[in-house]
Amino acid sequence: MKYKIILFFLIGLDVFILIFQTSQISISPSEALLLYGYPSFLQYLVKFSLNIFGQNDFGLRFVMIFLHVSSVILLYLISARYLKLQRNRLWLILVFILLPGVISSALVVSHAGLIIFGLFLYIYLSQKINDYFLALLLLLYAVADAGFMYLFLGLSIYYLFEKKKILFVYNLALLSFSLYMYGTNISGVPRGHFLDTIGIYSAIFTPIIFIYLFYVLYRGYLNNDDDKVWYIATTALLFSLFLSFRQRVELEVLAPYLMLALPLAARAFASSYRVRLKQHRQKYKAIFILAFVFLFLNTLLVLFNKDLYLVLDNPKKNFAYKMNIAKELASKLHAMNISCVKTDTDMQRRLKFYFIEKCDKNTLTELKLHSKMQNNVTISYKNKIIYKANVTKINNR
């Protein structure tokens, strides 16, 4: 009973922090493009949320927070197969919640959060019911999002080795359908992005956890692991690494697959720790503590990202810069009784969410921070100017 109380406490604290963060950030260019751009399943979910909660930041991000909480619960249920002790399952949940990539997917409206939830839901249901009964769910995935094509690829390889011909053909058909519907982003001049991909993976998981996940998947290969989770996670990881030799990889849709391997990593770590005598566990304790130090530091960096402006010479070097400015800028414009402007495409979409429409009456021009030109809009944080712009009224007569 106490473990369930701790679990709900962790989830409650997590939700509280996420809801608080929604008030601290603005809609980003990528989120605005998703909301006002080409129709998608995720767009319909977000618009449905906005219709219920109103056009505000909480309504925008409610879907991602809900999917995140659901993913946490599903991971806890999934981990029962890999971790016998409930306290170990709680440690796994804490690691998952603190992962930089997970925090990002819980706050930022993107396909990552939807894919994480979809993968965990599939694995949980596959532990409970026969794979043949999951055919309809996989079909829904194929229609809902292009990111699930790597699930079909991993399952195709898994069922090929398991000699389940019908399921192999079915997943291969779903993969072909996804490729036909959404296409592939394999084009342009080949350029190596392998080190960039490794670096982004390390940022999403922190270096220690990413290295350990890689080690666990490699050890699974040596031990001829036949776990479905291992096949899905390994296929996506190898595909991303091989593709990175040629081009930049969309890790937004591939990194969630590596998160599936977290229960495998937790099982391997717990097993290695348990079989050793106390005097030989110091190395594992050090790795565990160091991993959590990285996780907490990354979490603090995300939560207090605006404080970075105080030490950066160029505000745009802040990783969260694109998640700021728009809401504050819209408030300034409303205070000036300006309800419409004409500006660059990205900012135009972002301002639209805060009820600043497009028109030819006013022109909004961003200025360089060191510019001597007169400006009438300034956004600062703790007396540190991070954005300057000029709004000009256009006389069309």
Side-chain angles (χ1 to χ4, degrees), residues 23-84:
S23 65
Q24 303 297 306
I25 55 179
S26 304
I27 188 171
S28 69
S30 61
E31 290 175 312
L33 180 60
L34 188 149
L35 183 61
Y36 298 117
Y38 189 78
S40 66
F41 178 70
L42 183 58
Q43 183 192 85
Y44 295 139
L45 289 179
V46 173
K47 286 186 175 180
F48 178 73
S49 173
L50 292 172
N51 287 332
I52 295 176
F53 298 105
Q55 190 164 312
N56 53 62
D57 292 290
F58 177 76
L60 176 69
R61 306 188 191 282
F62 172 78
V63 170
M64 307 316 300
I65 296 175
F66 176 80
L67 291 176
H68 168 71
V69 172
S70 302
S71 298
V72 171
I73 296 172
L74 286 170
L75 177 60
Y76 182 79
L77 297 174
I78 290 169
S79 63
R81 177 179 175 180
Y82 301 92
L83 299 167
K84 294 181 179 180

Side-chain angles (χ1 to χ4, degrees), residues 3 6-7 10 76 86-94:
Y3 293 111
I6 296 173
L7 173 64
L10 289 176
Y76 182 79
Q86 289 195 55
R87 67 170 180 267
N88 289 340
R89 295 164 65 187
L90 289 176
W91 282 115
L92 172 62
I93 293 302
L94 184 58

Side-chain angles (χ1 to χ4, degrees), residues 192-203:
H193 290 280
F194 181 79
L195 294 179
D196 292 339
T197 301
I198 295 295
I200 296 173
Y201 268 130
S202 298

Side-chain angles (χ1 to χ4, degrees), residues 249-290:
V249 181
E250 292 183 288
L251 292 185
E252 174 191 338
V253 296
L254 281 161
Y257 288 85
L258 196 53
M259 291 178 187
L260 277 180
L262 287 171
L264 300 178
R267 180 181 63 182
F269 188 89
S271 177
S272 298
Y273 183 84
R274 187 174 58 252
V275 299
R276 282 166 172 76
L277 298 174
K278 288 186 177 181
Q279 59 266 33
H280 298 300
R281 293 176 176 177
Q282 298 304 317
K283 179 175 66 175
Y284 288 88
K285 288 182 179 179
I287 293 173
F288 186 78
I289 293 171
L290 193 58

Side-chain angles (χ1 to χ4, degrees), residues 348-394:
Q348 194 81 65
R349 288 198 195 97
R350 299 175 72 191
L351 291 175
K352 180 180 179 180
F353 182 76
Y354 299 107
F355 306 102
I356 301 292
E357 299 296 332
K358 182 178 181 179
C359 71
D360 294 324
K361 293 192 301 182
N362 307 292
T363 300
L364 174 69
T365 306
E366 181 182 356
L367 303 176
K368 294 182 179 179
L369 294 182
H370 59 268
S371 173
K372 301 297 183 182
M373 294 179 61
Q374 183 180 4
N375 68 286
N376 48 18
V377 177
T378 301
I379 296 173
S380 58
Y381 177 75
K382 290 186 177 180
N383 297 321
K384 178 68 177 289
I385 297 175
I386 60 175
Y387 179 87
K388 290 169 65 176
N390 189 39
V391 180
T392 307
K393 291 184 180 293
I394 305 298

Side-chain angles (χ1 to χ4, degrees), residues 214-226 230 234:
F214 190 92
Y215 160 74
V216 168
L217 293 179
Y218 176 69
R219 194 172 77 167
Y221 165 73
L222 296 179
N223 295 335
N224 295 317
D225 199 332
D226 60 351
W230 182 87
T234 302

Side-chain angles (χ1 to χ4, degrees), residues 4 147 153 168 260 265 353:
K4 290 185 179 180
L153 177 62
F168 165 70
L260 277 180
F353 182 76

